[in-house]
Amino acid sequence: MFDLQTMRDQLAAHYDLAPNPALAQEMSEEYARMKRVVAPMDWAIHAPYVAAINALKKERNAVILAHNYMTPEIYHGVADVVGDSLQLAIEATRVEADVIVQCGVHFMAETSKILSPAKIVLMPDMEAGCSLAESITAEGVEEMRRRYPGAPVVTYVNTTAEVKAASDICCTSSNAAQIVGAMESDTVIMTPDQYLAQNVAQDVPHKNVVWWEGSCIVHEQYSAKDLREFREWNPGTRLIAHPECPPDVVAEADFSGSTSGIIKYVTDEKPEKALLITECSMASNIADSLPEVDFVGPCNMCPYMKKITLEKILWSLHSMSEPIEVDPKVAEGARQAVQKMIDLSQKLGI
Ligand code: 13P
Ligand code: SF4
């Protein structure tokens, strides 16, 4: 368990982390990427952490891989690579640094370690989990295999290494339909996200997609009725949903895609008003690069993603904690499932 006070005392002994308006001014280039969403007073608080992290990254030969749901000061201030789950997994196979700091949730760090076993992969907060990863174990995968004999198991990357190792191939929200469509069998098991599976089932009607009953606590909160009402009161707003939302929500939306798919859609289309039906940081992270788009609420926060803060990233690099370890046998099985996904995605041009 994390002792916050000890961490703060030790950091204060090594770094000058007091709010610093002069440093914030010096770092105006970084601030320019987030000034629509981060107040100047908050930037004066963040700037000393951003400066300390970026200096320490060089010292440790470390890179920061950050998911699109990280807050703007992480996304624009310290990340070397940002992306969706597929892009981060691919990047983990290419990174040349000695250390990877994974800013995202635990399964993402585990995936990086599986793909780059010789590297030190650090997780700034081990408690940054995921409701989907927690919803299934390797026994659950075996139970599905017993229920649907001979059907391949396509497992979402939002799972533990044990679950990946028990599966045939992984998928992410950006390649799920194509991976399922490429399976030879008529029946395909998808775990653990029931809604992603139901959305995929609509895209590949020639397959009998069956699913585990897991769900994302962020995306399951949206309802089609909310979207309809929102549209009535806010005509002209483009509604853009992540495929972890229930299928009737996705059906009400104008577009659905992975987090990077959403960013690409908004960047290409530049709608006057957009409602991103996903995690809150998504809109904040692209607000400055798209001044012509009015991002309207509401959004939902992922409590797991929000466990990652600048303070914990600095501590992680300072103390080299916590390193991710995966049992080598489990890691090999999981690596095969993830690598198959990467290879198939590249073959399919995703
Ligand atoms: P993406 O692969 O679309 O980034 O999704 C990851 C995730 O956890 C969304 O909730
Ligand atoms: Fe998991 Fe949902 Fe959070 Fe993504 S948004 S990490 S799926 S709980």
Side-chain angles (χ1 to χ4, degrees):
M1 187 58 198
F2 216 62
D3 179 355
L4 211 63
Q5 200 48 55
T6 310
M7 174 185 82
R8 286 190 175 149
D9 292 346
Q10 291 201 25
L11 287 179
H14 286 88
Y15 309 92
D16 183 1
L17 297 170
N20 189 335
L23 181 66
Q25 185 66 38
E26 267 172 50
M27 295 171 67
S28 56
E29 207 179 296
E30 286 91 331
Y31 184 51
R33 298 194 286 264
M34 58 187 115
K35 69 175 195 289
R36 194 173 159 198
V37 288
V38 175
M41 265 167 62
D42 289 330
W43 178 236
I45 295 171
H46 296 318
Y49 287 89
V50 170
I53 291 168
N54 286 334
L56 205 47
K57 261 191 333 196
K58 284 202 190 111
E59 230 176 87
R60 302 265 197 250
N61 190 23
V63 293
I64 293 184
L65 304 188
H67 186 259
N68 291 327
Y69 288 166
M70 290 294 99
T71 50
E73 66 277 10
I74 296 175
Y75 188 91
H76 292 296
V78 299
D80 297 289
V81 177
V82 293
D84 65 10
S85 307
L86 180 63
Q87 291 168 325
L88 295 181
I90 291 172
E91 206 50 46
T93 65
R94 296 181 179 152
V95 157
E96 280 181 5
D98 298 320
V99 180
I100 294 173
V101 183
Q102 194 83 34
C103 293
V105 291
H106 187 271
F107 77 81
M108 294 176 178
E110 216 178 39
T111 304
S112 290
K113 182 67 184 175
I114 289 162
L115 294 170
S116 274
K119 298 204 187 307
I120 297 170
V121 178
L122 300 175
M123 186 67 204
D125 188 334
M126 283 291 192
E127 287 176 18
C130 168
S131 65
L132 282 167
E134 283 154 20
S135 74
I136 187 163
T137 60
E139 288 72 44
V141 174
E142 294 316 321
E143 187 189 315
M144 292 299 278
R145 286 196 196 277
R146 280 193 295 277
R147 257 194 257 168
Y148 303 98
V153 179
V154 178
T155 283
Y156 199 29
V157 283
N158 297 38
T159 44
T160 62
E162 285 82 4
V163 169
K164 289 183 177 78
S167 309
D168 295 290
I169 186 166
C170 284
C171 73
T172 72
S173 56
S174 59
N175 58 21
Q178 291 90 335
I179 299 252
V180 169
M183 294 295 104
E184 275 175 16
S185 160
D186 288 341
T187 298
V188 180
I189 300 167
M190 281 192 78
T191 70
D193 188 345
Q194 59 182 309
Y195 298 130
L196 179 70
Q198 288 161 23
N199 287 316
V200 166
Q202 300 202 359
D203 293 339
V204 284
H206 56 293
K207 295 284 181 197
N208 173 33
V209 181
V210 294
W211 53 81
W212 186 257
E213 300 272 326
S215 54
C216 161
I217 53 166
V218 173
H219 294 95
E220 71 180 355
Q221 289 179 47
Y222 292 101
S223 79
K225 182 172 164 279
D226 290 344
L227 263 65
R228 275 194 297 274
E229 281 174 9
F230 185 89
R231 225 192 254 286
E232 219 175 286
W233 288 97
N234 302 273
T237 305
R238 210 76 70 86
L239 305 186
I240 303 153
H242 193 275
E244 288 170 10
C245 292
D248 57 344
V249 170
V250 170
E252 287 294 333
D254 298 296
F255 174 79
S256 170
S258 78
T259 53
S260 291
I262 291 174
I263 293 174
K264 183 171 183 324
Y265 176 84
V266 184
T267 306
D268 291 348
E269 294 279 314
K270 294 187 181 49
E272 213 173 291
K273 272 188 185 178
L275 171 62
L276 306 192
I277 303 150
T278 186
E279 216 276 344
C280 298
S281 288
M282 282 280 294
S284 311
N285 287 337
I286 53 175
D288 280 84
S289 61
L290 293 167
E292 56 277 82
V293 181
D294 182 12
F295 291 96
V296 292
C299 58
N300 290 332
M301 265 206 222
C302 173
Y304 303 107
M305 291 278 183
K306 267 36 204 186
K307 281 189 176 290
I308 308 301
T309 60
L310 286 176
E311 188 180 43
K312 290 181 195 168
I313 297 168
L314 179 59
W315 175 246
S316 182
L317 269 170
H318 173 79
S319 61
M320 294 298 281
S321 62
E322 296 255 339
I324 296 281
E325 300 296 346
V326 187
D327 174 86
K329 251 171 81 188
V330 174
E332 182 45 30
R335 193 194 60 75
Q336 285 182 25
V338 177
Q339 194 62 51
K340 267 192 218 162
M341 166 190 81
I342 293 175
D343 294 345
L344 185 54
S345 296
Q346 280 164 357
K347 196 172 141 200
L348 296 170
I350 300 161

